[in-house]
Amino acid sequence: MLKPTDTRNPDHYHRVVDCQWGCPAHTDIPEYIRLIANGQYTESYLLNRKSNIFPGILGRTCDRPCEPVCRRVRLDGEPVAICRLKRVASDLRDDITGFLPTIPEEKNGKRIACIGAGCASLTVANDLMPLGYEVTIFEKLARPGGLMWTNIPEFRLPAKVLWEEIDYILDMGVDLRLNSSIDSLAALLEEDYDAVFIGSGAPKGKELNLPGRWDSEQIHIGIEWLESVRFGHIDSCGDRVLVIGVGNTAMDCCRTAQRLGASDVKVMARKTKPYFKASPWELEDAIEEQVEILENHSPSRFIIEDGKVVAMEFDLVTWTPGENGRLKAEVHDSKIIECDEVILAIGQDTAFPWIERDIGIDFNKWDMPIVDKTTFMTSVPGVFMGGDAAWGPENIIWGVEHGHQAAISIHAWCEGRPLTDRPPEGMNLISQKMGLHEWSYSNDYDEAERVKMRHVDLQERFKRLDIEVEEGFDIEQTLTEVERCLNCDIQTHFEADLCIECDACIDICPLDCLTITHNGPEEDLTQRLTAPLLNYPEEPLFISEDLPQTGRIMVKDEDLCIHCGLCAERCPTAAWDMRKSDLLVPYAGLEAGEMHPGMSIMNLALNGGSADGEPAGPGAALTGAGAG
Amino acid sequence: MSYIKKPRVHHPGLTRNRLGLTRRDYEGTMSTLCAGCGHDSITAAIIEAFWELEIAPHEVAKTSGIGCSGKTPTYFLKEAHGFNGVHGRMPSITTGAHAANRELVCIGVSGDGDSLSIGMGQFAHVVRRNVDMLYIIENNGVYGLTKGQFSASADVGSTAKRGQVNREHPIDSVLLSLNLGAGFVARSFSGDKEQLVPILKAGLRHRGFALIDVISPCVTFNDHRGSTKSYQYTRDNYNQLVYADFVPPAEEIAASFEAGDVRSVQMHDGSRIAFRKVPDDYDPTDRDQVYGYIRERQRAGEVATGLLYVEEAPQEGEHSDFHGLQATVDEPLSSYPFEDLCPGADTLERLQERFR
Ligand SMILES: Cc1cc2nc3c(=O)[nH]c(=O)nc-3n(C[C@H](O)[C@H](O)[C@H](O)COP(=O)(O)OP(=O)(O)OC[C@H]3O[C@@H](n4cnc5c(N)ncnc54)[C@H](O)[C@@H]3O)c2cc1C
Ligand SMILES: Cc1ncc(C[n+]2csc(CCOP(=O)(O)OP(=O)(O)O)c2C)c(N)n1
Ligand code: SF4
Ligand code: SF4
Ligand code: SF4
Ligand SMILES: [Mg+2]
């Protein structure tokens, strides 16, 4: 017998919001999309900023783990352009500085040191500054931003966007020390800090130790090469460039080479396309720029003449499934490909030469520091770690989420509370009924296909390094794309005691999500549903209490519900209702749902933009009324 | 009703029948009935039955009279022929349609008021004539469309929404049609599709007149305490007397359930109705016995449901349905050229001349 679902546990409805569940920072995606639909770009930006800190940056560069899991994929094959819509909010917002949290003049007396000014450390500062902490960030380089600045090329992320969002944080009064490499953690720990956060990233590009590697200046490590380009140390490159590796770094390298004058850029892949590490959209963009990608080429040596690389030799391989599911390479030929320059883009590692191994920080057998997955603390009390430094290269949004969690820990640490007591999430449920057949949101299913991003003309974009390729959505594209969102946070909420088992909801549901049947063992019950289960248990079932008239149960397969609200409209007793589930996420010093003084988005959203809104108390929620 | 149309997007697991159609292809437009109306569930069951029988929508004629029930053909088989006639006159329209084209699959949807009050005369005669059609009475005990007056099927002692008590004797369409010689008589409940869909399928395949009286609660005017046609009352007094499965020609009966308690009745096209869990002393082909049994159950306060009576298919060439009785040609009349059907004034003149 399956037990009734406890919908008071925030996780149940949160899971239904596939994108938000997939976003490491739990960004309230459907709500921000509705705000955009409603022309409330500033509100949408602020709602984004609450969880992901960098809406403008992420609206262009995010790894978007939310998109492949978007419900829309399961319906028409293409996710909502969640990331591009984020950019719309950022592009069209008004000045938001008035809505940033006010920083207390009187400090709380606690001093925090952050190592590295990447997204992880910046998030820690963002979360702690409003609480009265004094945060110092030590950065090795001459500018903050970490890889967002040094490695993500400007044709993907304009500097203006980057600096603006970094400045929102620095302007809170962060003590940023540039050109300040930390060369000894022991020495830093000697200083008078209450906690240390290590956000130093994974700065070491992987090597390819093949014959000839060290005999030419024209063989580069990808991330170092991109950094040199960024700082202007490199402003040209050879005609024929080979990029080794086919991950996202390789994509940025090959596209940068194109812009530095290369006319023949080849990306050399050891395997075939299904195994490429690069995100599909980055691959697409590189291919659009006429970069050639060669599969099944395994590098074997560099060919050097007069101290210059002139070619590389590759084994031509085929892959066959070997033991334990791993692919086995079989060499059947070799090939020499001429080139003037080689860029190695085969991965990154962390490196901690500056952490003394006798100060108590435990390292594992791969020489990675051991960090607690919940508290983000290392084995030295008061020393925390997050971002790429903690468990190897990830992406910006993970770095941000690590920063939030580490900030919660640091705050607890400084207040002497146990770090393992994580503040709980909350959930508000608010009916969206406006009238007999009227909902606060656009409940119809729009059959529009995913809107295609327009790109700057090929000729034009190669003129300079800093021409942003993606043009962003115009209003028409935006209005089309927002309607593709299925409002998965507007939940079908069921009250069993009201149901008279008339079957109206079962009959109307376009996706056959609903079943009234007798309870039974899981294996049996799951065979008796109106439509076959396709993604169970990843997509949950809702199981009701026993129905009053027959003692049967209502079962809902959440998998494909399009949140059209027809079940609720056709229900004569309002046993089904459409309710917005508002996930309330805690941050450092803020209980779930609480907001900083001066950052009351709720007031802003509801009162049309008064900057001096009252702080909203715990449990305050966005209602999203009027969207769509 | 709803302001949005039911979106066309559907479950990817939706299967197609041999015509390449999904169940969704058998839908009509969005219902404008009250949310929770039993009639909508019957519509859903009809959609299911047509889809499962793999009947092409354009081979179907759907007809109705007036009432909430009369509106429902709009909500299924949007590609079928349809006629929404005058109150109580659906039987004549269907008779006409079927007379003209005997190949049409005819389904008439009526209400208890439409059939048993204003249309009583028409109803009686379409049964007698044995028109080859499936006749559905969506029985809610009230005139739903005109806001809940008692209909001719309201039970003595049942109360209207505002408390008035009905004292007039009800007409029971099941007993009536048994009396009038119907060859297929069933009662079901909108809230029990497991029972209803197979009966609908059998009714569509039955050659001759088939009646299904479906208790179909009116959520708005007759779903209160005191009603004998409410969801709660029907469930409390429900007696699924016989379980009938519809078995298409090619299928083995034993495949669907235990062979032991099966009694199978052959239909004219080779399909069979397999009865199971029938009371020991019950013979669904014995008209008198069935009549008595239903009366007895009624006295016990039960609503006897199921495919209650079905006659064995007559031998080839002995069909007593409308076309058999009229000895019409095998080809649909509608397929003959007009000149052949209507020989013209000259011929009439000559014919009349013979009698002068
Ligand atoms: C080419 C490339 C493209 C990428 N593109 C994307 C993308 O499009 N989207 C995405 O989400 N992610 C992308 N990433 C990954 C993303 O940039 C990183 O995951 C993210 O920047 C990690 O943030 P972080 O704060 O942990 O570290 P970093 O951004 O690496 O920042 C660490 C900072 O610490 C400084 N530092 C290191 N050691 C010391 C020290 N001892 N003392 C003082 N300072 C120190 C470094 O100089 C650096 O500024 C990309 C990565 C690369 C290499
Ligand atoms: C000739 C004529 N008389 C009366 C009416 C008014 N009228 C409309 S529907 C209806 C009763 C319908 O009752 P029923 O057949 O039970 O259908 P329901 O609405 O309950 O499904 C009546 C009397 C009419 N439309 N036409
Ligand atoms: S909202 Fe209701 S009717 Fe619409 S798809 Fe979801 S369960 Fe089905
Ligand atoms: S429509 Fe409402 S009352 Fe009818 S079965 Fe569905 S939930 Fe129950
Ligand atoms: S009035 Fe009664 S019969 Fe008519 S649609 Fe409403 S519930 Fe159905
Ligand atoms: Mg009626």
Side-chain angles (χ1 to χ4, degrees), chain B residues 17-229:
Chain B
N17 63 17
R18 263 183 300 167
L19 302 175
L21 302 177
T22 68
R23 177 161 40 75
R24 297 290 306 275
D25 296 321
Y26 285 79
E27 289 177 351
T29 59
M30 282 282 279
S31 170
T32 56
L33 301 182
C34 303
C37 179
H39 297 359
D40 281 339
S41 301
I42 301 173
T43 297
I46 291 172
I47 289 169
E48 182 74 29
F50 273 103
W51 176 73
E52 286 182 16
L53 287 178
E54 311 186 308
I55 296 173
H58 67 272
E59 291 168 358
V60 176
K62 47 178 191 175
T63 47
S64 64
I66 298 297
C68 297
S69 43
K71 294 168 71 174
T72 61
T74 314
Y75 313 140
F76 60 83
L77 271 66
K78 56 179 170 297
E79 272 127 13
H81 306 277
F83 201 106
N84 181 209
V86 189
H87 203 5
R89 271 61 182 173
M90 177 270 279
S92 340
I93 291 155
T94 318
T95 307
H98 201 258
N101 183 358
R102 62 185 300 171
E103 280 178 0
L104 281 176
V105 178
C106 288
I107 175 169
V109 184
S110 183
D112 39 335
D114 196 53
S115 284
L116 306 179
S117 300
I118 194 170
M120 179 70 177
Q122 296 246 326
F123 174 65
H125 290 285
V126 77
V127 184
R128 282 184 59 238
R129 288 196 178 116
N130 203 13
V131 173
D132 184 9
M133 71 177 297
L134 172 59
Y135 195 113
I136 297 172
I137 296 181
E138 301 189 335
N139 185 359
N140 53 16
V142 288
Y143 300 162
L145 192 74
T146 53
K147 298 199 166 3
Q149 302 83 352
F150 288 121
S151 78
S153 76
D155 290 309
V156 173
S158 66
T159 62
K161 197 174 181 180
R162 300 211 186 279
Q164 305 94 312
V165 181
N166 176 48
R167 306 215 174 278
E168 288 171 36
H169 204 76
I171 299 171
D172 184 314
S173 68
V174 164
L175 295 176
L176 182 64
S177 46
L178 278 171
N179 248 328
L180 292 166
F184 183 109
V185 181
R187 171 159 282 143
S188 188
F189 170 40
S190 66
D192 185 0
K193 286 202 196 70
E194 257 173 70
Q195 184 193 56
L196 181 54
V197 173
I199 298 179
L200 285 168
K201 284 160 72 177
L204 284 166
R205 282 295 180 229
H206 174 77
R207 177 152 170 195
F209 184 84
L211 173 84
I212 310 180
D213 178 301
V214 191
I215 310 287
S216 177
C218 169
V219 275
T220 303
F221 299 111
N222 206 13
D223 196 36
H224 46 269
R225 208 178 285 228
S227 158
T228 57
K229 299 280 187 293

Side-chain angles (χ1 to χ4, degrees), chain A residues 492 505 508-511 513-514 556 560-568 578:
Chain A
T492 55
C505 53
I508 197 69
C509 177
L511 273 302
C513 305
L514 307 176
K556 181 186 176 203
L560 295 173
C561 171
I562 56 170
H563 300 262
C564 62
L566 285 176
C567 50
M578 302 308 290

Side-chain angles (χ1 to χ4, degrees), chain A residues 437 447 507 549 569-570, chain B residues 1-2 8 40 193 235:
Chain A
H437 313 288
E447 291 184 1
D507 297 337
Q549 290 196 6
E569 267 185 53
R570 297 306 295 170
Chain B
M1 67 169 281
S2 173
R8 287 188 305 176
D40 281 339
K193 286 202 196 70
R235 289 202 165 101

